[in-house]
Amino acid sequence: MADTVKKPVEKKPIKITETVLRDAHQSLIATRMTTEQMLPIVDKMDKVGYHSVECWGGATFDASLRFLKEDPWERLRKLRDGFKNTKLQMLFRGQNILGYHQYADDVVEYFVQKSIANGIDIIRIFDCMNDLRNLQTAVNASKKEKGHSQVALSYTLGDAYTLEYWTEMAKRIEDMGADSICIKDMAGLLVPYKATELITAMKEVTSLPIQLHTHYTSGVASMTYLKAVEAGVDVIDTAMSPFSMGTSQPATEVMVETFKGTPWDTGYDQNLLAEIADYFRPIQEDALKTGLLNPKVMGVNIKTLLYQVPGGMLSNLVSQLKEQGAEDKYYEVLDEVPRVRKDLGEPPLVTPSSQIVGTQSVFNVLMGERYKMATAETKAVLRGEYGATAKPFNPEVQKKVIGDEQPITCRPADLIPPELDKLEAEMSQWKEQDEDVLSYALFPQVAVEFFKDREAKKTKIDPKAADTDNKAYPV
Ligand code: CO
């Protein structure tokens, strides 16, 4: 088998997923772009000819409800109205949906159904452990609703993550019925020549389209895209220049220009892209002025290559240590991160595993004894409740943290009974649309705050509400 003839690489126009409405602002300005800021430019963006626009999911759902006091479902419907010709894409955390723990299958299925019904075309589904069992329900649901299901592998480095690991995964993804594969490099760890190797190897084992998603954090991303495109990758993720680079993606205009006049030419209109960039630039400048955009995240963070952790995780560690008045422990914690990661089976570091490993590392250093205190999430990982890891857990650590408890080995959600009816009952007083139960399922407290706020606003502007008969009602 070793001497089989390699397939020639097909040279065809490269497709682009534009991330400015999701990952780019999540990475640079804490997901604070509002629907109002997005809508005026949608018409122009719709004319570019993007493969898709990523505009929903990830942290946008949480941030909309929690900080912007916006209904994320309403945002999706408005974007759908505006984008007449462009596919809309979302990021979905497998069995965690857009939350931080595992949900029952009925909630996952309903969320997928409503996402597609409200306008999503492509669902990119990933799991922080790369445990494909955690993705199957979402993949099946998305197929049932006639959506495009893309399985994303969280890219990471480590003993377990060989070329064989990735190609084996690619074959299994094809077998599970997904429509495409994404390599999701959240930390910018994939360097250019490794991208050649990885894409070439994956292309040999699967006929599914392959999309590459990376971040500029370590400074190599646009070179990585160049090599990946030459090796036959089908789609790359980029962001309009004002929200590109740093912890975000390479700039759309730059990648478009790079491939101009080659077999990979996108054919996009640079003048149109320039107009779109002109629209986003003042939003970026404002964010710089208010401090929402920290110039630090715009540069190259070489530590991400050294410590192999995503940029967002580094800044989280800094703020966690600041809260504890222990900023001087930063490098000790950074050294502890890879050790904790190994103890927990060497998972990729992506939401929520990045938070779990990060917080446990802070605990281990601040308590002066490793695993003297374990977080609830660390316990859950070691009980197998997040799924299977690429490497076994450290048995001593497992013993210290969960004692004689028997870890589970089945798909974690097999043990979670249906929860939708119970959730419906809990939140029925707030319900104004079917989707409200899903907002509540993911973020119960935040959603209720939002529902109260929504009701209060309505009372204020509803003329009928003003038509009182002088009775005082509590509001
Ligand atoms: Co990303």
Side-chain angles (χ1 to χ4, degrees):
M1 283 302 285
D3 53 8
T4 45
V5 183
K6 286 187 177 177
K7 277 191 267 177
V9 179
E10 199 189 339
K11 294 183 182 175
K12 54 178 194 313
I14 184 72
K15 295 175 182 170
I16 287 184
T17 291
E18 172 61 53
T19 67
V20 69
L21 303 184
R22 204 286 294 176
D23 203 358
H25 74 104
Q26 179 173 328
S27 299
L28 293 175
I29 55 166
T31 336
R32 296 298 204 277
M33 202 183 285
T34 62
T35 306
E36 213 172 292
Q37 287 174 314
M38 297 175 182
L39 293 180
I41 196 61
V42 161
D43 253 5
K44 278 188 181 156
M45 288 180 71
D46 196 31
K47 294 191 174 78
V48 173
Y50 291 123
H51 167 70
S52 63
V53 168
E54 193 199 35
C55 60
W56 211 63
T60 63
F61 199 92
D62 190 356
S64 295
L65 283 173
R66 194 185 300 264
F67 304 112
L68 305 175
K69 307 291 175 202
E70 277 188 22
D71 181 6
W73 299 99
E74 194 57 38
R75 172 183 294 184
L76 175 54
R77 288 190 285 266
K78 285 181 175 162
L79 290 170
R80 179 71 284 169
D81 275 351
F83 282 105
K84 309 263 188 269
N85 309 301
T86 311
K87 290 195 165 123
L88 301 186
Q89 184 166 327
M90 75 173 289
L91 182 66
F92 194 100
R93 295 183 199 126
Q95 210 69 29
N96 301 323
I97 311 181
L98 305 176
Y100 306 105
H101 65 85
Q102 297 243 339
Y103 290 89
D105 286 335
D106 63 345
V107 182
V108 175
E109 284 159 2
Y110 196 43
F111 204 100
V112 168
Q113 186 196 325
K114 284 298 178 188
S115 302
I116 293 175
N118 281 286
I120 289 295
D121 300 287
I122 302 174
I123 306 194
R124 174 178 290 171
I125 311 159
F126 78 98
D127 175 61
C128 71
M129 303 291 186
N130 284 338
D131 183 344
L132 299 182
R133 298 173 306 172
N134 291 336
L135 306 178
Q136 189 72 60
T137 299
V139 168
N140 293 351
S142 141
K143 287 180 84 71
K144 191 175 159 219
E145 304 300 325
K146 309 240 175 332
H148 175 119
S149 60
Q150 176 175 77
V151 167
L153 289 170
S154 306
Y155 183 77
T156 189
L157 302 172
D159 298 344
Y161 302 96
T162 59
L163 271 186
E164 289 67 39
Y165 171 90
W166 299 113
T167 51
E168 204 42 52
M169 283 296 205
K171 285 189 243 172
R172 287 173 55 199
I173 292 169
E174 189 161 339
D175 290 343
M176 71 194 280
D179 298 299
S180 63
I181 300 175
C182 172
I183 299 157
K184 177 178 158 59
D185 180 13
M186 47 284 164
L189 299 177
L190 182 60
V191 290
Y193 290 98
K194 290 285 176 200
T196 307
E197 276 178 35
L198 180 63
I199 301 298
T200 305
M202 286 176 80
K203 275 281 167 188
E204 273 170 32
V205 298
T206 178
S207 53
L208 291 182
I210 300 179
Q211 181 156 4
L212 181 57
H213 173 90
T214 191
H215 288 253
Y216 219 98
T217 324
S218 64
V220 298
S222 56
M223 294 182 280
T224 300
Y225 277 168
L226 181 63
K227 298 311 283 182
V229 168
E230 288 176 356
V233 87
D234 298 274
V235 194
I236 53 174
D237 287 11
T238 65
M240 287 306 301
S241 55
F243 284 95
S244 71
M245 317 259 288
T247 48
S248 174
Q249 275 78 48
T252 305
E253 303 96 301
V254 174
M255 296 318 300
V256 165
E257 198 63 20
T258 300
F259 296 112
K260 203 171 232 168
T262 74
W264 300 286
D265 197 333
T266 61
Y268 297 176
D269 177 357
Q270 283 286 17
N271 291 317
L272 178 60
L273 291 176
E275 288 174 34
I276 298 169
D278 285 345
Y279 175 81
F280 282 109
R281 202 164 297 111
I283 300 177
Q284 183 232 45
E285 283 161 3
D286 268 2
L288 270 171
K289 257 184 245 150
T290 60
L292 183 57
L293 175 55
N294 181 342
K296 265 192 192 163
V297 301
M298 306 289 286
V300 169
N301 187 340
I302 216 68
K303 284 198 193 91
T304 192
L305 282 182
L306 277 174
Y307 294 99
Q308 301 178 1
V309 302
M313 190 175 160
L314 292 171
S315 50
N316 270 346
L317 289 178
V318 171
S319 58
Q320 272 181 319
L321 287 172
K322 229 183 216 166
E323 275 169 32
Q324 304 293 320
E327 284 158 281
D328 56 317
K329 298 280 200 286
Y330 181 62
Y331 287 98
E332 255 179 87
V333 171
L334 273 184
D335 288 334
E336 178 66 1
V337 166
R339 289 194 289 261
V340 171
R341 182 175 168 232
K342 269 223 154 76
D343 294 338
L344 301 188
E346 210 170 44
L349 295 176
V350 62
T351 306
S353 59
S354 49
Q355 287 87 337
I356 298 172
V357 169
T359 306
Q360 188 60 50
S361 302
V362 170
F363 273 43
N364 283 0
V365 168
L366 295 190
M367 301 300 287
E369 181 192 326
R370 307 188 73 228
Y371 303 100
K372 185 173 181 183
M373 237 171 99
T375 64
E377 289 78 16
T378 299
K379 286 180 190 160
V381 169
L382 292 169
R383 283 193 207 107
E385 287 167 14
Y386 280 88
T389 44
K391 287 267 192 167
F393 302 130
N394 177 337
E396 283 164 38
V397 168
Q398 196 178 23
K399 175 98 185 147
K400 180 164 182 179
V401 172
I402 65 164
D404 292 327
E405 273 185 74
Q406 195 58 37
I408 62 164
T409 54
C410 65
R411 186 186 72 113
D414 285 340
L415 302 174
I416 310 175
E419 18 183 27
L420 210 46
D421 289 347
K422 186 176 146 270
L423 292 163
E424 290 273 11
E426 281 172 19
M427 57 73 65
S428 60
Q429 73 171 115
W430 304 109
K431 187 165 166 175
E432 286 186 13
Q433 57 175 351
D434 289 349
E435 290 79 2
D436 285 344
V437 69
L438 293 165
S439 305
Y440 177 80
L442 261 48
F443 305 104
Q445 284 160 355
V446 174
V448 166
E449 281 305 307
F450 170 78
F451 297 148
K452 282 184 188 164
D453 202 53
R454 181 172 67 182
E455 205 147 281
K457 272 186 199 147
K458 219 177 347 176
T459 321
K460 246 183 248 162
I461 53 163
D462 187 349
K464 268 184 266 161
D467 182 23
T468 61
D469 52 5
N470 286 333
K471 274 185 203 150
Y473 291 104
V475 283

